[in-house]
């Protein structure tokens, strides 16, 4: 097999970022962003983020205005340090859980399934809604965001942000941009309905954006000049093992639900790309995106949904290290592809096309 030729990087080709949500697993994305910000030749044009991805995006953009790339790195480091010190931004209070023992060095030790307090809380959350309890809700997260995010920087800064929340009444995505991006919008994007009461904005209640776009790609397609989009994925698409216990089934349903919107958008992008390649539609009328992904499914595979509430400092730092290493690998292998070609195969690598239905059966041409 011939070795893939590594291309010389093109300088100053704009790149869009698409950041998934996933509770404390967003520290993986922090590591990815920390490494990407080291490359001064890679401009960030716009960021689409959901939930934890939205928080990372807002903190980065705030720090960028205050101090450029170094300011963005410092802002992210300060934000995640605050999260570790004060408990989970998604409402958890399990930061004191036990990490991996010397006999169990993998990340599975950070799962909270055996934590007594979590075991007590889990059935409680299934029986009672946030409207039936007197918890502080998202107030802790609001206080953290007020310390690390400046809405005026998001509205006037050089990086366009697109933050997705889900309208409770319609189930449709609401994308907040520099014209209406506030602390409340960030809270809405990260509002898990089993933990928080819906965030009301202009009379409309909102839940976590992951239900309608994790993250949404279409705002980048319609509003950004960049043709390269880098997805930072922290929710696995594939689980080889069959879930059998109630908790395993619930975890897998959560993963499928929070990936559904992204998979649908990827399928639509692949369909348009195919039509462009076959010259059935004009290439100058549609964006022919170059797509890239940073992920580490193998390392994150041992983590259960419960770990998304774990904010133990060494866990967040371990996730940061994994994200930093994953981004470093991507830069080493694919930095030269930015501005030239996609580095993922949508049909083979992302969509499992052999098992998936056609992208848009009603639009199939003879």
């Amino acid at each position: 097999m011939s070795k893939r030729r590594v291309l010389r990087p093109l300088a100053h080709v704009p790149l869009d970022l698409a950041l998934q949500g996933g509770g404390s697993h967003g520290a993986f994305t922090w590591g990815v962003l920390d490494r990407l910000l080291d490359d001064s030749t890679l401009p960030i044009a716009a960021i689409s983020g959901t939930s934890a991805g939205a928080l990372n995006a807002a903190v980065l953009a705030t720090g960028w205005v205050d101090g450029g790339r170094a300011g963005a790195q410092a802002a992210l480091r300060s934000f995640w340090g605050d999260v570790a010190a004060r408990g989970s931004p998604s409402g958890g209070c399990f930061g004191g859980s036990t990490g991996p023992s010397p006999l169990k060095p993998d990340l599975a030790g950070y799962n909270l399934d055996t934590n007594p307090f979590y075991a007590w809380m889990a059935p409680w959350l299934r029986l009672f809604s946030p409207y039936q309890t007197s918890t502080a809700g998202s107030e802790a997260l609001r206080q953290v965001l007020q310390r690390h995010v400046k809405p005026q920087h998001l509205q006037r800064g050089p990086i366009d942000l697109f933050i997705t929340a889900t309208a409770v009444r319609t189930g449709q995505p609401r994308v907040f941009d520099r014209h209406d991006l506030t602390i409340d919008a960030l809270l809405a994007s990260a509002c898990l309905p089993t933990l928080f009461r819906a965030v009301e904005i202009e009379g409309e209640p909102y839940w976590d954006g992951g239900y309608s776009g994790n993250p949404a790609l279409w705002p980048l397609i319609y509003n950004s000049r960049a043709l390269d989009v880098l997805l930072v994925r922290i929710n696995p698409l594939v689980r080889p093992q069959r879930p059998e216990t109630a908790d395993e089934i619930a975890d897998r349903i959560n993963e499928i639900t929070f990936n559904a919107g992204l998979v649908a958008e990827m399928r639509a992008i692949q369909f348009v790309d195919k039509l462009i390649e076959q010259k059935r539609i004009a290439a100058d009328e549609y964006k022919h995106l170059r797509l890239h992904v940073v992920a580490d499914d193998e390392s994150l595979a041992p983590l259960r949904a419960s770990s998304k509430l774990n904010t133990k400092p060494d866990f967040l730092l371990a996730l940061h290290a994994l994200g930093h290493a994953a981004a470093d690998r991507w830069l080493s292998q694919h930095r030269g592809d930015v501005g030239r070609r996609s580095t993922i195969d949508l049909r083979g690598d992302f969509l499992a096309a052999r098992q998936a239905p056609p992208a848009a059966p009603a639009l199939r041409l003879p």
Side-chain angles (χ1 to χ4, degrees), residues 7-274:
L7 300 172
R8 178 181 59 82
L10 297 175
H12 307 298
V13 175
L15 178 71
D16 286 344
L17 302 178
L19 309 181
Q20 280 199 322
S24 63
H25 294 189
F28 176 90
T29 301
W30 164 34
V32 172
L33 297 174
D34 201 15
R35 178 63 185 91
L36 294 177
L37 288 165
D38 284 336
D39 187 342
S40 61
T41 70
L42 195 60
I44 299 174
I47 306 176
S48 178
T50 294
S51 198
L55 308 189
N56 273 317
V59 172
L60 181 153
T62 295
W64 190 292
V65 173
D66 284 335
R69 291 175 179 271
Q73 290 174 311
L76 286 165
R77 183 168 58 251
S78 177
F79 169 74
W80 283 101
D82 201 350
V83 169
R86 298 178 180 272
S88 172
S90 51
C93 47
F94 312 105
S97 65
T98 302
S101 70
L103 298 178
K104 192 176 185 182
D106 60 85
L107 292 182
Y110 289 109
N111 292 324
L112 295 171
D113 305 77
T114 59
N115 180 288
F117 186 64
Y118 180 84
W120 178 80
M121 280 292 297
W124 178 275
L125 294 174
R126 286 192 287 267
L127 288 173
F128 299 97
S129 84
Y131 295 90
Q132 297 172 296
T133 62
S134 58
T135 60
S138 59
E139 186 57 32
L141 175 56
R142 180 185 297 276
Q143 293 175 7
V144 172
L145 290 177
Q146 287 174 338
R147 287 191 292 272
H148 299 277
V149 173
K150 299 176 182 177
Q152 66 272 21
H153 284 8
L154 309 185
Q155 295 159 9
R156 297 193 292 269
I159 299 175
D160 284 318
L161 297 188
F162 303 99
I163 303 305
T164 302
T166 302
V168 176
R169 293 192 179 100
T170 66
Q172 296 299 308
R174 163 77 183 270
V175 176
F176 298 89
D177 58 23
R178 65 171 67 243
H179 301 295
D180 53 10
L181 188 47
T182 62
I183 296 294
D184 278 344
L186 295 171
L187 291 171
S189 183
C191 180
L192 288 173
T194 56
L195 295 175
F196 303 142
R197 298 180 181 185
V199 177
E200 289 207 10
I201 299 175
E202 299 171 350
E204 179 70 39
Y206 291 97
W207 281 341
D208 194 291
Y211 296 110
S212 55
N214 191 24
L217 300 181
W218 56 268
L220 300 175
I221 295 173
Y222 290 112
N223 299 290
S224 174
R225 70 186 189 280
L227 294 177
D228 287 85
V229 177
L230 174 63
L231 168 68
V232 182
R233 183 165 54 78
I234 56 179
N235 294 299
L237 289 169
V238 177
R239 287 281 189 183
Q241 299 83 9
R242 180 180 64 191
E244 296 183 348
T245 69
D247 286 341
E248 289 171 349
I249 291 170
D251 282 0
R252 189 57 185 147
I253 290 173
N254 178 278
E255 290 173 345
I256 292 171
T257 300
F258 276 81
N259 277 325
L262 176 65
V263 170
E265 285 198 86
M266 286 291 195
R267 185 171 291 126
I269 290 170
Q270 189 274 332
F271 186 63
V272 171
D273 285 350
K274 181 179 179 181

Side-chain angles (χ1 to χ4, degrees), residues 274-292:
K274 181 179 179 181
L275 293 180
I276 292 175
E277 291 168 0
Q278 294 177 347
K279 302 187 185 305
R280 296 190 177 188
I281 59 177
D284 58 353
E285 295 181 8
Y286 295 86
K287 291 182 78 170
H288 199 346
L289 294 177
R290 297 181 288 266
L291 297 173
H292 316 276

